[in-house]
């Protein structure tokens, strides 16, 4: 089945220790998104790619970076995680801008 | 005013009841609209797109009112399995730029 896969599902990292979250998709979608979701809050868009074009939300901290080496894969790098970065990180894909998105199961990040 | 607003609920309804949620948005140039459901500690799942003409999928009916800038979701004959948080999503896109905004969600609890 075509799907969006995120690894790992759970990640524990130490304060200030870089961490990378990965997302892959078999849907061959052009658009990939990264969201941060904290408890009882809406998913917050961090950035997205339309093909190789990177779009950073204005309020996304510089601590968050992303890479998309090819259509199928996208990575979220958190350079120096703080306690406030503990959250669920969701990857999503869409065929085009403005179409419905398909989410991966998320990576729950804990910062100790 | 928030960009996308939803009544957080919870809506507690008996099985078989009809329940309706509304979502208002502030950007009149928004172009596409969706409803997602999210179960506790899971990823959002696309429920349906929302069109001005209204659209129906089984027990679910979605409607868009551009003049009043709100979207609605109607669930008929509620099932226990409908218990979840329902998120509305509003998209604006132009060229390669896209702004995706999630509402904070409305929690539905269907009671036996």
């Amino acid at each position: 089945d075509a799907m969006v896969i995120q690894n790992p599902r759970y990640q524990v990292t130490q304060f200030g220790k870089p961490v990378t979250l990965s997302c892959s998709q078999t849907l061959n979608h052009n658009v990939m998104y990264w969201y941060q979701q904290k408890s009882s809050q809406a998913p917050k868009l961090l950035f997205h790619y339309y093909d190789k074009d990177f779009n950073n939300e204005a309020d996304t901290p510089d601590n968050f970076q992303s890479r998309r080496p090819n259509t199928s894969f996208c990575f979220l790098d958190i350079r120096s995680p703080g306690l406030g970065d503990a959250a669920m990180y969701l990857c999503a894909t869409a065929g085009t801008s403005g179409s419905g998105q398909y989410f991966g199961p998320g990576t729950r990040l804990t910062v100790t | 005013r928030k960009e996308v607003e939803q009544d957080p609920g919870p809506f507690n309804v008996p099985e078989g009841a009809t329940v309706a949620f509304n979502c208002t948005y502030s950007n009149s140039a928004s172009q596409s609209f969706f409803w997602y459901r999210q179960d506790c500690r899971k990823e959002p799942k696309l429920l349906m797109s929302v069109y001005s003409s209204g659209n129906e999928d089984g027990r679910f009916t979605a409607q868009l009112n551009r003049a009043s800038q709100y979207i609605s979701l109607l669930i008929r004959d509620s099932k226990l399995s409908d218990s979840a948080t329902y998120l509305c999503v509003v998209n604006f896109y132009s060229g390669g730029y896209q702004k995706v905004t999630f509402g904070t969600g409305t929690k539905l609890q269907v009671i036996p």
Side-chain angles (χ1 to χ4, degrees):
Chain A
D1 285 345
M3 55 198 307
V4 182
I5 301 162
Q6 289 188 246
N7 285 305
R9 295 290 307 278
Y10 301 90
Q11 176 73 57
V12 180
T13 190
Q14 292 177 333
F15 183 95
K17 185 174 181 181
V19 66
T20 295
L21 311 182
S22 74
C23 177
S24 64
Q25 55 130 340
T26 61
L27 297 160
N28 204 32
H29 279 170
N30 288 323
V31 195
M32 292 187 80
Y33 305 85
W34 279 106
Y35 291 88
Q36 180 193 65
Q37 187 176 26
K38 297 186 176 180
S39 182
S40 301
Q41 295 184 19
K44 180 182 178 300
L45 182 63
L46 296 172
F47 21 59
H48 74 279
Y49 284 89
Y50 190 101
D51 286 335
K52 294 181 180 179
D53 292 335
F54 177 70
N55 296 272
N56 199 32
E57 292 299 297
D59 57 355
T60 298
D62 291 340
N63 198 25
F64 291 83
Q65 304 285 316
S66 183
R67 298 168 281 138
R68 188 178 186 187
N70 54 52
T71 300
S72 302
F73 286 88
C74 196
F75 300 96
L76 170 61
D77 301 307
I78 308 177
R79 292 192 295 189
S80 182
L83 297 178
D85 296 328
M88 174 77 92
Y89 289 88
L90 294 160
C91 172
T93 74
T96 61
S97 294
S99 57
Q101 296 178 32
Y102 295 87
F103 283 81
T107 295
R108 187 165 295 280
L109 178 68
T110 300
V111 182
T112 60
Chain B
R1 181 184 174 186
K2 286 184 181 177
E3 292 182 67
V4 178
E5 290 199 75
Q6 292 184 252
D7 181 342
F11 284 56
N12 296 313
V13 302
E15 269 187 290
T18 296
V19 62
F21 310 133
N22 280 341
C23 170
T24 58
Y25 61 95
S26 60
N27 182 359
S28 59
S30 298
Q31 292 144 300
S32 60
F33 308 86
F34 304 90
W35 283 103
Y36 289 74
R37 70 169 279 165
Q38 186 171 27
D39 294 283
C40 190
R41 299 179 73 83
K42 299 281 192 180
E43 74 274 21
K45 290 191 189 297
L46 180 62
L47 187 63
M48 56 200 305
S49 305
V50 189
Y51 305 112
S52 297
S53 54
N55 47 302
E56 189 173 304
D57 183 1
R59 298 180 293 108
F60 298 82
T61 301
Q63 191 81 44
L64 165 63
N65 185 318
R66 285 192 183 271
S68 301
Q69 293 179 215
Y70 76 85
I71 65 173
S72 63
L73 178 68
L74 182 78
I75 306 176
R76 291 180 297 278
D77 187 24
S78 299
K79 312 290 185 192
L80 295 176
S81 57
D82 294 334
S83 298
T85 296
Y86 290 82
L87 302 161
C88 67
V89 174
V90 175
N91 271 341
F92 168 80
Y93 48 95
S94 175
Y97 172 77
Q98 181 182 8
K99 185 167 177 63
V100 181
T101 308
F102 276 75
T104 51
T106 298
K107 188 171 183 178
L108 171 66
Q109 185 70 47
V110 181
I111 304 162

